[in-house]
């Protein structure tokens, strides 16, 4: 007990275990956070919890961004109230998660709704305290049945729903700049590990021994890359001691569920710093071995089409426009689809069945378990299947195509193809004008296409050889029969093409 108290007081590490730090309360005239930048709904959540007798603070990345003069996009709250206690204080609050139970407090409805995420202070547990943890985990799915320890022998955390005091909660967070707590009522920042000082120095530093912390949760490896990419523009760098174990520690990711790696990959690529994330992966020796799809992104990031897609994603996030993982993954895998499609059409396979077969092959060989993600896979397929339909600008195809729910994604994909000279830019320009025009202008555009295609020189058919020349000639001395009936030419019935159904 005395040793633990001294460790907390001095903030020293013991046997690789980080100290719990010394609580420091920093006033507003020192940290300089602008209260006007703080979300009113987050303040309301903190105030409600405090009025009910609980501790509550805005926490994590929001505090870091406020210190740096940035406006956070998300606000999280940490409290000593349990999830059940939090839920009881708000009309629209939902407990979510299994391995890590949190509460979503929802404000507003529809597209304008906002979620404030509320988590309970967690205890810090290492493999020295790997006894059975009783108590405060609740689940109806029995997903932790048989798991008796808080961490495994390697130090990887298995059970996160173990509540603890604030100093332990701060210690179990990853980087010092993410482990600060802001009280909007007193406008004080609570800092245990020198986060404010590191923010001033523009340093990303892991709390405790980095190798041990990566073993506790290997996903911290990816988070290190993401924060380094996000904050590089502000002059941040990863502390050498924090960066050194990264390449060797990536082998630990083999034990992380694929679904979690997929979600972390999307955070790398869809938070507005995709190109910077690729650069960081290369610089830190992590360009391969994290996740197969991410390996492919890094490998193809310098190709014109994928580079344009990553840059466009960064631009859209910067403009607060929505981005979809299906679109970006469709761009990354388009080279495989296009190659398979060309190979099949070269064998005289009709275009649409050839494209469908090529897509199936890519889903099987490249996407793996992502193909089972329902809407994601369906949206990718729809984006790809639209591409040959854009070539058809007669009949009912244009009008039916612009009414498709995924038309905009398909068109944006077409526009990127035009930007890298994969297709004629005039085709993308035509569809852009057609999609935004009224009925009168649309009819004019269709008339122009009819005139253009009608004015094209007709392909001259090579005449068939004279039937008489192909008939057996009479032998020498033999006379041809007079008035022999002419051979009746059989008219070949035209079979409907594979694309005809698209123009009905």
């Amino acid at each position: 007990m005395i040793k633990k108290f001294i460790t907390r007081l001095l903030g020293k590490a013991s046997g690789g275990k980080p100290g719990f730090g010394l609580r420091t309360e920093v006033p507003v005239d020192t940290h300089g956070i602008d209260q006007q930048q703080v979300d009113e709904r987050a303040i309301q959540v903190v105030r409600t919890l405090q009025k009910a007798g609980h501790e509550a603070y805005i926490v994590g990345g929001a505090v870091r961004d406020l210190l740096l003069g940035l406006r956070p996009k998300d606000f999280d709250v940490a409290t000593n109230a349990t999830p059940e206690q939090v839920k009881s204080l708000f009309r629209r609050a939902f407990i979510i998660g299994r391995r890590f139970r949190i509460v979503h407090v929802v404000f507003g409805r529809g597209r304008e709704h906002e979620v404030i995420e509320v988590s309970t202070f967690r205890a810090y547990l290492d493999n020295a305290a790997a006894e059975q943890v009783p108590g405060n985990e609740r689940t109806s799915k029995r997903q932790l049945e048989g798991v008796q320890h808080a961490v495994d022998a390697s130090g990887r955390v298995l059970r996160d729903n173990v509540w603890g005091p604030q100093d332990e909660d701060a210690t179990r967070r990853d980087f010092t700049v993410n482990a600060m707590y802001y009280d909007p009522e007193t406008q004080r920042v609570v800092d245990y590990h020198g986060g404010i000082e590191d923010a001033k120095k523009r340093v990303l530093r892991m709390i405790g021994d980095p190798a041990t912390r990566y073993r506790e949760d290997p996903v911290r490896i990816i988070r290190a890359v993401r924060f380094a990419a996000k904050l590089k523009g502000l002059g941040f760098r990863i502390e050498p001691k924090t960066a050194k174990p990264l390449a060797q520690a990536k082998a630990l990711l083999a034990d992380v569920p694929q679904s979690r790696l997929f979600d972390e990959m999307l955070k790398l690529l869809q938070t507005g710093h995709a190109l910077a994330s690729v650069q960081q992966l290369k610089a830190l020796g992590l360009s391969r071995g994290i996740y197969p799809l991410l390996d492919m992104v890094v490998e193809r990031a310098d190709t014109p089409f994928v580079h344009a897609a990553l840059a466009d994603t960064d631009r859209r996030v910067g403009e607060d426009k929505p981005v979809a993982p299906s679109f970006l993954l469709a761009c990354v895998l388009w080279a495989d689809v296009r190659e398979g499609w060309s190979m099949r059409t070269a064998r005289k396979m009709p275009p649409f069945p050839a494209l469908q077969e090529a897509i199936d092959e890519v889903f099987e060989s490249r996407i793996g378990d992502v193909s089972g993600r329902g809407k994601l896979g369906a949206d990718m397929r729809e984006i790809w299947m639209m591409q040959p339909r854009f070539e058809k600008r007669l009949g009912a195809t244009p009008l039916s195509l612009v009414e498709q729910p995924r038309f905009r994604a398909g068109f944006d994909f077409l526009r990127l193809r035009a930007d890298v000279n994969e297709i004629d830019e005039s085709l993308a320009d035509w569809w852009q004008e057609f999609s935004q025009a009224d009925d009168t202008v649309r009819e004019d555009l269709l008339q122009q296409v009819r005139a253009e295609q009608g004015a094209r020189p007709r392909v001259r058919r090579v005449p068939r050889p004279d039937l008489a020349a192909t008939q057996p000639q009479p032998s020498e001395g033999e006379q041809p029969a007079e008035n022999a009936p002419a051979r009746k030419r059989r008219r070949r019935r035209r079979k409907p093409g594979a694309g005809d159904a698209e123009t009905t």
Side-chain angles (χ1 to χ4, degrees), residues 393 398 425-435 445-446 449:
R393 292 180 290 164
E425 189 172 0
S426 63
L427 180 64
D429 291 340
W430 187 92
W431 277 102
Q432 181 167 346
E433 186 176 359
F434 184 84
S435 64
L445 291 169
L446 292 173
V449 174

Side-chain angles (χ1 to χ4, degrees), residues 14-248:
S14 176
K17 178 178 179 178
F20 293 117
L22 181 65
R23 179 186 175 101
T24 304
E25 294 189 5
V26 183
V28 64
D29 57 356
T30 301
H31 61 67
I33 289 178
D34 181 3
Q35 183 85 338
Q36 299 299 317
Q37 298 294 313
V38 182
D39 190 293
E40 277 296 328
R41 294 169 180 178
I43 294 176
Q44 182 179 338
V45 170
V46 170
R47 187 173 294 143
T48 300
L49 287 163
Q50 290 180 350
K51 284 183 177 179
H54 304 293
E55 295 180 64
Y57 303 83
I58 294 170
V59 69
V63 182
R64 178 199 66 224
D65 289 350
L66 288 167
L67 281 170
L68 297 173
L70 305 175
R71 186 176 184 85
K73 291 188 176 181
D74 300 302
F75 285 83
D76 298 336
V77 170
T79 177
N80 64 348
T82 66
E84 290 74 21
Q85 289 172 328
V86 175
K87 185 177 185 300
S88 68
L89 294 173
F90 299 93
R91 185 171 60 87
R92 297 183 65 208
F94 308 92
I95 299 176
I96 66 167
R98 298 176 184 174
R99 179 178 177 270
F100 195 100
R101 294 173 69 234
I102 58 178
V103 180
H104 278 181
V105 179
V106 182
F107 294 87
R109 297 184 181 276
R111 292 180 178 271
E112 302 302 320
H113 82 285
E114 181 182 0
V115 174
I116 303 298
E117 191 171 282
V118 183
S119 61
T120 304
F121 294 153
R122 257 68 176 184
Y124 180 85
L125 298 164
D126 65 3
N127 55 0
E131 73 276 5
Q132 182 173 344
V133 178
N136 47 27
E137 291 184 274
R138 293 180 57 184
T139 173
S140 60
K141 300 295 184 182
R142 304 179 70 185
Q143 75 277 5
L144 292 174
E145 184 176 15
V147 177
Q148 296 183 342
H149 295 81
V151 295
D152 64 15
S154 70
R156 182 166 65 96
V157 175
L158 301 176
R159 304 171 76 173
D160 267 328
N161 297 318
V162 183
W163 320 138
Q166 185 186 38
D167 60 349
E168 293 193 21
D169 185 76
T171 300
R172 66 176 300 282
R173 295 177 183 271
D174 42 26
F175 300 98
T176 59
V177 294
N178 293 339
M180 295 176 284
Y181 304 77
Y182 175 67
D183 183 349
E185 295 297 293
T186 64
Q187 297 191 49
R188 290 179 175 269
V189 171
V190 178
D191 185 5
Y192 288 91
H193 298 283
I196 290 180
E197 189 65 25
D198 285 346
K200 291 179 180 178
K201 293 179 179 178
R202 300 299 196 258
V203 172
L204 277 173
R205 179 168 61 90
M206 182 68 71
I207 298 172
D209 176 61
T212 301
R213 305 308 307 280
Y214 295 139
R215 283 197 301 272
E216 288 175 357
D217 185 359
V219 167
R220 287 181 177 137
I221 299 166
I222 307 176
R223 287 169 60 84
V225 175
R226 177 155 58 91
F227 290 129
K230 177 178 180 178
L231 300 173
K232 184 179 180 181
L234 296 174
F236 272 78
R237 59 181 178 81
I238 300 181
E239 178 204 34
K241 184 180 177 181
T242 298
K244 186 177 179 180
L246 282 171
Q248 185 177 0

Side-chain angles (χ1 to χ4, degrees), residues 217-492:
D217 185 359
V219 167
R220 287 181 177 137
I221 299 166
I222 307 176
R223 287 169 60 84
V225 175
R226 177 155 58 91
F227 290 129
K230 177 178 180 178
L231 300 173
K232 184 179 180 181
L234 296 174
F236 272 78
R237 59 181 178 81
I238 300 181
E239 178 204 34
K241 184 180 177 181
T242 298
K244 186 177 179 180
L246 282 171
Q248 185 177 0
K250 73 178 180 182
L252 299 169
L253 292 166
D255 295 328
V256 177
Q258 293 288 295
S259 59
R260 191 173 179 211
L261 290 178
F262 179 81
D263 291 339
E264 289 296 327
M265 178 192 72
L266 294 184
K267 291 178 183 178
L268 271 181
L269 301 176
Q270 294 196 288
T271 53
H273 309 90
L275 290 173
S277 294
V278 169
Q279 292 172 0
Q280 285 293 325
L281 287 167
K282 293 178 179 179
L284 295 169
L286 301 171
S287 58
R288 296 194 65 81
I290 290 182
Y291 185 65
L293 275 176
L294 183 59
D295 293 348
M296 198 174 304
V297 172
V298 177
E299 178 185 334
R300 298 179 177 182
D302 293 331
T303 63
F305 189 63
V306 176
H307 187 276
L310 294 171
D312 186 64
T313 299
D314 287 347
R315 176 189 62 81
R316 291 182 65 87
V317 173
E319 296 174 356
D320 288 328
K321 294 181 179 179
V323 291
S326 55
F327 182 86
L328 185 56
L329 291 180
C331 292
V332 172
L333 296 172
W334 173 240
D336 300 289
V337 173
R338 188 181 58 200
E339 181 181 354
W341 187 22
S342 299
M343 183 179 64
R344 286 166 174 80
T345 53
R347 299 198 302 255
K348 307 301 182 183
M349 191 173 182
F352 277 90
L355 180 55
Q356 289 174 329
E357 196 172 291
I359 292 171
D360 291 339
E361 183 179 57
V362 169
F363 267 86
E364 181 68 25
S365 63
R366 296 291 197 188
I367 302 180
D369 68 339
V370 179
S371 62
R373 288 177 172 263
K375 189 175 186 303
L376 175 70
D379 288 349
M380 292 172 65
R381 183 181 295 272
E382 193 168 357
I383 289 170
W384 287 328
M385 290 300 298
M386 279 188 192
Q387 300 312 300
R389 295 185 65 188
F390 284 117
E391 302 286 345
K392 298 179 177 293
R393 292 180 290 164
L394 292 178
T397 296
L399 292 172
S400 64
L401 193 54
V402 295
E403 297 299 324
Q404 295 292 324
R406 297 290 297 166
F407 167 79
R408 191 67 209 182
F411 169 74
D412 287 344
F413 194 90
L414 181 80
R415 171 59 72 185
L416 279 181
R417 292 175 64 203
D419 290 343
V420 298
N421 299 317
E422 184 181 313
I423 60 168
D424 193 328
E425 189 172 0
S426 63
L427 180 64
D429 291 340
W430 187 92
W431 277 102
Q432 181 167 346
E433 186 176 359
F434 184 84
S435 64
Q436 297 173 350
D438 57 27
D439 291 342
T440 302
V441 176
R442 284 182 177 182
E443 184 57 35
D444 291 341
L445 291 169
L446 292 173
Q447 289 287 0
Q448 292 175 16
V449 174
R450 294 189 192 103
E452 290 172 4
Q453 297 192 4
R456 290 176 186 169
R458 298 182 63 180
V459 178
R460 183 180 178 185
R461 296 181 178 276
V462 178
R464 294 181 64 181
D466 185 26
L467 288 175
T470 62
Q471 295 298 320
Q473 298 297 317
S475 58
E476 185 177 352
E478 181 181 353
Q479 299 295 324
E482 295 184 4
N483 301 324
R487 184 174 180 181
K488 185 176 181 181
R489 294 182 62 186
R490 184 176 181 183
R491 184 174 181 182
R492 186 177 180 182

Side-chain angles (χ1 to χ4, degrees), residues 3-18:
K3 183 178 179 181
K4 184 176 181 181
F5 173 76
I6 294 174
T7 301
R8 289 193 185 193
L9 182 63
L10 299 179
K12 295 180 180 178
S14 176
K17 178 178 179 178

